[in-house]
Amino acid sequence: MKNKFAERARIVKSSETREILKVTERPEVISFAGGLPAPELFPVENLKNACNAVLDEEGAASLQYGTTEGYIPLREAISHRMKGIGINSTIKNVLITSGSQQAIDLTGRLFINEGYTIICESPTYLAAINAFKSYDAKFVEVVMDDGMVMEELEKKLNNHPDTKFIYTIPDFQNPTGRTLKLERRKRMIELANQYDVLIVEDNPYGAVRFAGEELPPVKHFDTENRVIYISTFSKIFTPGLRLGWICADETFIEKYVAFKQTADLHTDSLAQRITAKYMEIYDMEEHIKKIKAVYKTKCTEMMRSMKEFFPKNLSYSEPEGGLFIWVELPEGIDSTHIFTECLKNNVACVPGTPFFPNGTQKNTLRLNYSNMSNEKIIEGIKRMGEVLHRELEKELTLL
Ligand code: PMP
């Protein structure tokens, strides 16, 4: 048979990283590779109660088709959460999506024509890169330390007047764990207004802050309704229910609704009702507090172990929330090689290269601390430390 695929099937390949990560699923491997929440934090018993209540009280409706916009009480609860973080919205501004990944994909569909430019952090979230690539976007990367460097962003906006939107993950970014400073949030809005571009603020981790001061989202400073805010229940509740949302100007939401209809008609009715019921019966904020306490301990344990077991000439981010730590190895060290050597020691991390949309930097690693027990964190970092000491010394003798 001749090739029947559309051109975009060539652009989007099953990511190399996903392929290598399959190996990390072996039970003997301590994995810091994925981005999975801690399973012990899923509120299984309370979810059973919420689920039973939904099926008892509104069984048929929860199994019926629903509206594309989403279940109204859930949209109300989200709108309330949005107000709590400084985003004024009503349910008309909220669309429930099937995970925030769908919101990202619909954003690509809605705003990107072939060759359009997107400005993003360097590095950025891999599945957003792939989603936007499938719509043939071009990526312009902006260096980051405490979030995007605004002088660089301004230069890039100047050099790329065709830019459609800035894609940013301001809080505890995936993959770096870094956070955009307050002043830079305001500046980003000023620049977006000045250059007339949209901002897509992807914020799955903002609610999981376990240290430092709360910061308002970029959308809080939005004076011209040009920020499309995307978030999710995945990190504050459970990823398996696949519930995310978009909070944006009504005119955007109407278009998203039209596109979502063609994708899946609507998000799972039962999952939406169970989540709304859970929030009605239980205290979601209390649940998030528990998550933060556990992640704080895990992150502290990982940082402490890294200080003890890793070579001293590495630098790494010190996150105040979220799920990830970013490690920068000395120039010339290839993190894919480190990954392979770590795997021989039954410990896994993710090489950083795929997180750079234009594939440039090779000496970085992403570590996840949310999914492993404290004991495994210590043991895994020790094993990684052995590999890093050995490989860095080898590199020195080659110089
Ligand atoms: N955005 C970012 C930055 C992420 O890290 C993730 C998943 N880890 C998502 C979006 C998608 O999450 P979900 O579809 O589970 O809401």
Side-chain angles (χ1 to χ4, degrees), residues 35 97-104 124-128 167 169 172-175 202-205 230-235 238-240 242-245 323-324 366:
T97 54
S98 301
S100 57
Q101 191 60 40
Q102 183 180 51
I104 293 172
T124 190
Y125 172 47
L126 181 56
Y167 171 70
I169 309 160
F172 323 121
Q173 197 234 23
N174 182 1
D202 183 11
N203 201 333
Y205 306 106
I230 294 175
S231 193
T232 179
F233 284 101
S234 290
K235 306 296 165 5
T238 99
R242 307 305 302 129
L243 291 178
W245 67 90
L323 271 60
F324 304 110
R366 189 192 73 179

Side-chain angles (χ1 to χ4, degrees), residues 120-124 129 133 138-141 353-360:
C120 63
E121 282 127 13
S122 179
T124 190
I129 298 176
K133 261 193 190 162
K138 266 192 338 211
F139 294 87
V140 170
E141 300 174 45
T353 317
F355 297 99
F356 295 90
N358 301 309
T360 38

Side-chain angles (χ1 to χ4, degrees), residues 4-50:
K4 304 288 185 230
F5 291 119
E7 196 52 35
R8 78 179 65 84
R10 240 176 351 125
I11 304 171
V12 182
K13 298 188 198 107
S14 165
S15 102
E16 209 180 296
T17 318
R18 285 225 178 280
E19 291 307 311
I20 42 182
L21 289 183
K22 283 186 188 156
V23 193
T24 68
E25 282 162 16
R26 295 195 317 243
E28 65 276 22
V29 173
I30 296 178
S31 180
F32 305 133
L36 308 185
E40 68 272 20
L41 287 167
F42 297 150
V44 179
E45 286 306 314
N46 291 352
L47 262 169
K48 261 191 215 166
N49 295 336

Side-chain angles (χ1 to χ4, degrees), residues 77-94:
I78 290 170
S79 171
H80 184 70
R81 279 193 72 76
M82 295 289 87
K83 282 197 194 108
I85 58 167
I87 297 177
N88 257 328
S89 69
T90 71
I91 63 164
K92 289 188 177 154
N93 305 109
V94 176

Side-chain angles (χ1 to χ4, degrees), residues 155-353:
K155 269 190 216 155
K156 300 283 158 91
L157 283 165
N158 227 333
N159 294 343
H160 299 274
D162 60 331
T163 299
K164 266 286 148 174
F165 59 79
I166 301 165
Y167 171 70
T168 183
I169 309 160
D171 292 353
F172 323 121
Q173 197 234 23
N174 182 1
T176 62
R178 292 181 188 141
T179 294
L180 186 67
K181 280 185 178 172
L182 179 64
E183 285 312 310
R184 295 189 188 183
R185 293 175 188 235
K186 296 181 190 164
R187 182 69 184 139
M188 189 181 273
I189 292 288
E190 282 171 10
L191 289 171
N193 289 347
Q194 184 184 337
Y195 287 88
D196 190 21
V197 295
L198 300 176
I199 296 174
V200 177
E201 179 174 18
D202 183 11
N203 201 333
Y205 306 106
V208 192
R209 175 181 280 280
F210 47 70
E213 260 177 55
E214 295 284 341
L215 290 175
V218 175
K219 187 159 179 59
H220 172 71
F221 301 104
D222 185 10
T223 46
E224 298 183 359
N225 287 336
R226 58 174 73 243
V227 180
I228 294 163
Y229 182 91
I230 294 175
S231 193
T232 179
F233 284 101
S234 290
K235 306 296 165 5
I236 55 171
F237 195 44
T238 99
L241 291 176
R242 307 305 302 129
L243 291 178
W245 67 90
I246 300 171
C247 179
D249 189 61
E250 247 183 283
T251 49
F252 291 143
I253 293 292
E254 280 166 20
K255 285 281 177 204
Y256 273 107
V257 167
F259 274 79
K260 183 171 163 65
Q261 258 160 22
T262 71
D264 63 353
L265 299 180
H266 65 81
T267 295
D268 185 324
S269 303
L270 184 57
Q272 292 188 65
R273 283 170 192 258
I274 292 172
T275 305
K277 183 58 81 181
Y278 175 93
M279 287 198 276
E280 188 190 312
I281 315 178
Y282 302 105
D283 188 344
M284 182 67 111
E285 296 315 313
E286 277 305 309
H287 177 63
I288 298 174
K289 266 191 206 157
K290 277 189 215 152
I291 297 178
K292 291 184 194 182
V294 171
Y295 289 2
K296 182 176 186 166
T297 311
K298 286 180 190 278
C299 180
T300 309
E301 204 53 81
M302 186 172 270
M303 300 287 316
R304 198 200 51 71
S305 307
M306 287 164 75
K307 284 189 181 122
E308 183 177 349
F309 298 117
F310 277 13
K312 300 290 170 249
N313 55 341
L314 305 186
S315 54
Y316 29 85
S317 57
E318 299 198 14
E320 295 186 328
L323 271 60
F324 304 110
I325 297 175
W326 185 244
V327 182
E328 290 181 61
L329 308 167
E331 290 273 339
I333 301 283
D334 182 352
S335 59
T336 306
H337 176 67
I338 300 291
F339 167 82
T340 315
E341 291 303 306
C342 281
L343 219 46
K344 290 182 192 160
N345 243 10
N346 281 334
V347 59
C349 53
V350 187
T353 317

